[in-house]
Amino acid sequence: MYNAVDENSIADMLDTFYGAIREDLLLGPIFAAAMGEDWGPHLAKMKAFWSTVLLASRTYKGNPMMAHLQLPRLTETHFERWLELWRETSARLCTKAPAEMFVQKAEGIGARLLGAITQYHDHFAAQTQQ
């Protein structure tokens, strides 16, 4: 079990988490459609993202909001399942303090993404009804 958040714990967390995502009946097909069979580039990008979020490494270059807006509309159910798997993975791999750090950041990111996705899709739905 990891006692701290570092590059190794982030890498293990993401490898394990995305292994669970691939098997998940709700989320697996969404990720498979977006990435196909080659998960390597996505995993590398997510490791850089979480390193930037948790360690201020500034290794991530990208726009996660735009990436998520380009997917079919994600709902609260999708984000709840994503967080459920994230919490399970962090609890399995980390002691209490690093697990809480992983979860706290994920909850905030998930809430911001869901809010933006909802606003984006609702805005375009309202425009098409006019």
Side-chain angles (χ1 to χ4, degrees), residues 1-16:
M1 294 202 68
Y2 291 100
N3 293 313
V5 174
D6 58 19
E7 296 293 346
N8 290 330
S9 63
I10 291 169
D12 199 16
M13 175 73 178
L14 290 163
D15 289 337
T16 304

Side-chain angles (χ1 to χ4, degrees), residues 10-73:
I10 291 169
D12 199 16
M13 175 73 178
L14 290 163
D15 289 337
T16 304
F17 173 71
Y18 281 106
I21 290 284
R22 288 181 194 176
E23 302 297 320
D24 190 73
L25 296 176
L26 178 64
L27 300 177
I30 295 168
F31 279 85
M35 287 177 278
E37 294 297 317
D38 188 7
W39 285 63
H42 182 69
L43 284 170
K45 188 181 289 187
M46 290 299 90
K47 289 172 186 177
F49 174 80
W50 283 100
S51 176
T52 297
V53 167
L54 295 165
L55 303 175
S57 67
R58 303 177 77 172
T59 55
Y60 177 75
K61 307 292 183 234
N63 186 334
M65 190 66 68
M66 287 307 299
H68 287 83
L69 290 176
Q70 294 172 7
L71 296 171
R73 184 174 184 168

Side-chain angles (χ1 to χ4, degrees), residues 1-5 9 13 89-100 102:
M1 294 202 68
Y2 291 100
N3 293 313
V5 174
S9 63
M13 175 73 178
T89 304
S90 65
R92 190 168 65 243
L93 297 179
C94 302
T95 57
K96 185 178 179 178
E100 288 176 351
F102 275 117

Side-chain angles (χ1 to χ4, degrees), residues 91-121:
R92 190 168 65 243
L93 297 179
C94 302
T95 57
K96 185 178 179 178
E100 288 176 351
M101 189 173 175
F102 275 117
V103 169
Q104 178 185 21
K105 291 292 185 179
E107 288 173 343
I109 290 165
R112 286 189 297 279
L113 284 173
L114 179 60
I117 289 167
T118 301
Q119 184 177 11
Y120 175 82
H121 287 283

